[in-house]
Amino acid sequence: MKNKLITYCLSSFLVSSVFLSSCMNDVDLANISSDVKIDQSLVLPLGEINLTLKDMLNQLETEMINTSGNEINILMFDTLGYELGNINLLQGFVPLTKVYLFNLEEIKQVLINNGNSLGSLIEDFPIAVPGGLDFIIPALKDTLELGLDTDPNVDRIDSVKLSKLTMSLNVNVENFALNPTGLRFSLKLNNVFVKKGNLFTPLDTTVQLVNYNTPVSITLTNVLIKPDPSNGNIPIDIDLKIKSGAAGITIYNNSKINYEFTLTKLDFDVAYGKFKPQLQTNHVNSIPFDFDMDGLRLKFVNPQISVSMKTNLGFRIKFIIDFIRAISKDNTTKYAEFNGLQSTSYTTKRKPAFPGAYVIDTIPVFDQNNGSTYKLFESNAFPEKLEYKYSIESAPDPALKPDFITNQTKAEVYLKVKVPLHLNAGSKLEFTQTIKDIDQSLKTIFEEESINKDFLILRVKNGLPLHAKLKMNFLDSVAAPITTTFVKEYDLVAPVVNSSGVVTTIKEQILKIEINKTQIKEIKKTKNIDFDITIDGIDANGVERPINLQLSNSFGVKLGVFVQGNKIVSLSSTN
């Protein structure tokens, strides 16, 4: 390029000489020197940087950065799933274990009621009951203790629909020579209903023994249980039906019938009442930032945390936030605040209308107004992770409608963190870009010996919000810094921004850096030049302003060398 420029200058000079000779006949051309002095002042380009904010953000190498329109957000997600697990309604159940001792007067009355004259003749044990006689010992009234809480406002079961109910009866006798096939138990549970057709009728069933000390299992389907509201238990009436057999039996004063009745399994579909299950207690969860922000101060204006819940729990949920905090690598911890407290809670407004249905409820967003979330990023060190501690419990229904739980009760909590890149005053951003492989260009430019002075020329277009600084780092072929004695850090003109920190007008700035021959020798070793760009949000008046980063933000630098010098070119030379 330099040779072309010299040729052009020489051509111009020769044309001018011919033109002047026609006007100045008295000039002796033979005495003109063949050496011509040529002004070689020119700017030679070295390279340029043209950045958009998207290019700068790509340096973070993260998938957390999301762009929508001209807005830029950091997005983080978390999903929390939980179930009530296998709900065991029999956890507190107490098996009914009883010993029936024969009562003389009761036996006499039973025989009389059965039309047997023997009853009026009995005076004491032992009692010889003749063969072929059937009699019933009625209404042994008792209670099945389900072990359920009975506080109507805390934890109670009003009713349970069962797909299957399994019961068990185990019997043995002492000093009573009765064949087990001669003993039957009639069970009446007026608070337990079995579906027959379209109706539920009270449970009334008979258990015929086959062997002693061998449990007899009773299985029922489509069952409804309504515990006693006063104590949560189930009343049970038991009638003993005894057949004396062909040989008869003898009853002694220490004859006993031992029996144990138990509910072995409840396969429930849905239970109605009031419940206070331990859904989730003091669980701490964390979301890490997957990019490095060391050295940056990002004081976000309005970080937003959204929480929604999808559940088939048949009661309203109280979601308790114990804390939301940001933890930096230096263990600096900053907390969100709710009216001066670290904790807050929210109760869902509704519950599913019927078993099997789901509802989705959204908690009001935690942000700069509801939680002072900007405080999470007030540390000078960028957070390494966000942590939150929460618990979940049931909440009362103000309409006093019964709650319900099913055998497949579950809930999911969806958490979304959205951090717009809109920064409060006091923030600082840094980016680095490189002009590469300029070593050959520098050697070509600085090969002349007659250079008077050189300048590095920087043509800067700062489209980043507010005040910025530009620093140049000269690196050799092995990326080692090159020591230079001229200033390499410069303040850049701030663009025009509005009150929200959005750039409205980009200003252009030209930086002219004079370098002497000693400095030229230093920078001739340069292979690459790193440009560090720092935004600190300080305007032209020295006032800190908010920084609102948008995709339209840009930054450009064109780097060139202005060479000014003289060279003597001999017209008679063949070179």
Side-chain angles (χ1 to χ4, degrees):
M1 181 175 183
K2 185 184 296 185
N3 291 333
K4 290 182 179 179
L5 181 59
I6 293 172
T7 302
Y8 174 79
C9 292
L10 286 172
S11 300
S12 300
F13 176 79
L14 291 174
V15 171
S16 300
S17 299
V18 174
F19 176 76
L20 289 172
S21 66
S22 64
C23 301
M24 301 176 66
N25 294 323
D26 56 343
V27 176
D28 185 358
L29 293 177
N31 294 323
I32 296 178
S33 171
S34 62
D35 292 334
V36 179
K37 184 178 181 180
I38 299 173
D39 184 1
Q40 297 185 93
S41 298
L42 69 158
V43 177
L44 302 176
L46 287 177
E48 64 180 295
I49 296 171
N50 287 299
L51 287 174
T52 64
L53 188 58
K54 185 175 182 180
D55 297 326
M56 301 177 195
L57 294 174
N58 285 339
Q59 294 184 23
L60 299 177
E61 299 181 350
T62 176
E63 296 182 356
M64 288 185 174
I65 302 295
N66 176 267
T67 58
S68 177
N70 203 26
E71 292 293 324
I72 307 166
N73 301 292
I74 298 173
L75 294 182
M76 306 162 73
F77 300 91
D78 202 6
T79 300
L80 313 171
Y82 59 89
E83 300 178 358
L84 286 184
N86 296 323
I87 301 174
N88 183 10
L89 295 179
L90 295 177
Q91 185 173 358
F93 174 72
V94 179
L96 179 63
T97 302
K98 292 292 180 179
V99 176
Y100 176 73
L101 290 171
F102 289 92
N103 180 280
L104 181 65
E105 295 300 322
E106 184 178 49
I107 295 300
K108 291 172 60 176
Q109 190 61 46
V110 165
L111 292 174
I112 291 172
N113 293 340
N114 281 272
N116 193 311
S117 59
L118 178 63
S120 59
L121 301 176
I122 296 175
E123 294 183 355
D124 200 357
F125 290 108
I127 301 172
V129 180
L133 180 65
D134 296 348
F135 61 95
I136 298 174
I137 302 174
L140 301 177
K141 295 183 180 295
D142 226 310
T143 300
L144 297 178
E145 297 182 8
L146 296 180
L148 303 174
D149 291 334
T150 58
D151 187 333
N153 297 315
V154 178
D155 208 356
R156 73 172 193 273
I157 291 182
D158 297 334
S159 63
V160 184
K161 287 185 178 180
L162 308 174
S163 58
K164 183 185 293 186
L165 167 63
T166 303
M167 305 178 291
S168 175
L169 180 65
N170 191 22
V171 181
N172 63 68
V173 295
E174 297 180 38
N175 300 314
F176 187 41
L178 175 67
N179 190 301
T181 59
L183 184 59
R184 290 183 296 171
F185 280 70
S186 177
L187 308 175
K188 296 180 180 179
L189 291 84
N190 292 326
N191 292 55
V192 178
F193 304 85
V194 180
K195 191 173 184 179
K196 295 181 179 180
N198 294 324
L199 299 176
F200 282 93
T201 59
L203 173 61
D204 187 348
T205 188
T206 299
V207 180
Q208 173 68 62
L209 294 186
V210 177
N211 295 296
Y212 292 126
N213 294 311
T214 302
V216 179
S217 182
I218 309 106
T219 299
L220 304 170
T221 58
N222 293 323
V223 178
L224 174 65
I225 298 177
K226 292 184 176 182
D228 188 326
S230 64
N231 53 29
N233 297 329
I234 299 175
I236 182 172
D237 294 345
I238 301 176
D239 292 344
L240 295 180
K241 298 181 178 181
I242 298 175
K243 290 186 176 182
S244 62
I249 55 175
T250 301
I251 302 174
Y252 301 93
N253 62 347
N254 59 352
S255 294
K256 300 177 183 179
I257 299 177
N258 304 311
Y259 60 90
E260 181 181 81
F261 181 78
T262 185
L263 304 179
T264 56
K265 190 173 183 181
L266 297 179
D267 292 337
F268 85 101
D269 292 329
V270 59
Y272 293 89
K274 290 291 181 184
F275 308 97
K276 200 173 183 63
Q278 294 295 323
L279 299 176
Q280 189 73 58
T281 304
N282 296 329
H283 182 73
V284 178
N285 214 44
S286 65
I287 308 178
F289 287 96
D290 71 352
F291 50 89
D292 189 0
M293 287 288 195
D294 283 350
L296 302 188
R297 293 196 307 271
L298 301 182
K299 299 185 177 184
F300 295 105
V301 173
N302 189 24
Q304 300 158 32
I305 303 173
S306 303
V307 180
S308 61
M309 288 182 284
K310 179 182 178 181
T311 177
N312 65 354
L313 293 167
F315 46 80
R316 301 199 312 158
I317 295 175
K318 185 176 182 180
F319 192 85
I320 303 168
I321 294 289
D322 294 289
F323 61 72
I324 302 173
R325 66 189 180 191
I327 302 177
S328 304
K329 288 184 178 179
D330 61 1
N331 289 325
T332 300
T333 303
K334 296 292 183 178
Y335 289 86
E337 289 187 6
F338 306 90
N339 297 320
L341 303 175
Q342 293 179 3
S343 63
T344 187
S345 65
Y346 173 80
T347 300
T348 57
K349 304 300 182 185
R350 57 200 181 107
K351 61 186 180 184
F354 53 87
Y358 280 83
V359 294
I360 298 177
D361 209 333
T362 301
I363 294 175
V365 175
F366 302 132
D367 57 14
Q368 60 183 341
N369 299 315
N370 179 30
S372 301
T373 53
Y374 59 88
K375 293 187 176 182
L376 295 169
F377 297 90
E378 286 190 333
S379 172
N380 286 333
F382 191 79
E384 185 179 27
K385 61 183 175 181
L386 291 179
E387 284 189 346
Y388 54 97
K389 182 180 179 181
Y390 71 95
S391 57
I392 299 174
E393 61 184 43
S394 61
D397 186 345
L400 298 180
K401 295 180 179 179
D403 296 329
F404 61 83
I405 55 175
T406 67
N407 62 346
Q408 293 182 339
T409 297
K410 62 182 64 177
E412 287 186 335
V413 177
Y414 307 102
L415 186 138
K416 174 184 176 182
V417 179
K418 176 183 176 182
V419 186
L421 288 188
H422 189 184
L423 307 175
N424 277 319
S427 298
K428 184 180 76 170
L429 287 162
E430 293 180 347
F431 302 98
T432 298
Q433 284 291 301
T434 303
I435 293 180
K436 298 181 178 180
D437 301 321
I438 63 172
D439 47 338
Q440 292 302 320
S441 297
L442 288 175
K443 290 177 182 178
T444 301
I445 292 170
F446 296 133
E447 69 181 354
E448 301 295 344
E449 297 295 334
S450 56
I451 296 174
N452 294 333
K453 54 183 176 181
D454 285 353
F455 295 88
L456 292 178
I457 304 298
L458 297 176
R459 189 185 185 95
V460 182
K461 287 185 177 181
N462 178 21
L464 301 172
L466 299 178
H467 177 257
K469 288 185 178 182
L470 179 67
K471 182 180 179 181
M472 294 183 292
N473 299 302
F474 293 80
L475 306 174
D476 63 18
S477 58
V478 294
I482 296 173
T483 301
T484 58
T485 55
F486 57 86
V487 176
K488 299 182 291 297
E489 187 170 341
Y490 300 90
D491 288 322
L492 302 182
V493 175
V496 178
V497 297
N498 60 22
S499 59
S500 298
V502 178
V503 174
T504 58
T505 304
I506 297 175
K507 293 187 176 182
E508 187 175 271
Q509 183 178 4
I510 295 177
L511 301 174
K512 189 176 181 181
I513 308 166
E514 185 174 352
I515 51 177
N516 57 37
K517 288 189 176 182
T518 301
Q519 293 165 338
I520 289 173
K521 290 181 180 179
E522 295 170 350
I523 65 173
K524 281 176 69 174
K525 305 172 187 177
T526 301
K527 174 76 171 177
N528 303 321
I529 302 178
D530 280 350
F531 288 86
D532 295 336
I533 304 121
T534 301
I535 313 168
D536 55 15
I538 301 175
D539 67 12
N541 299 317
V543 179
E544 289 187 337
R545 300 287 187 186
I547 302 174
N548 192 348
L549 295 175
Q550 298 187 319
L551 282 182
S552 58
N553 297 148
S554 62
F555 185 86
V557 175
K558 290 185 177 181
L559 173 65
V561 177
F562 177 83
V563 179
Q564 188 174 38
N566 295 315
K567 183 172 183 178
I568 305 300
V569 178
S570 177
L571 296 178
S572 62
S573 173
T574 57
N575 294 328

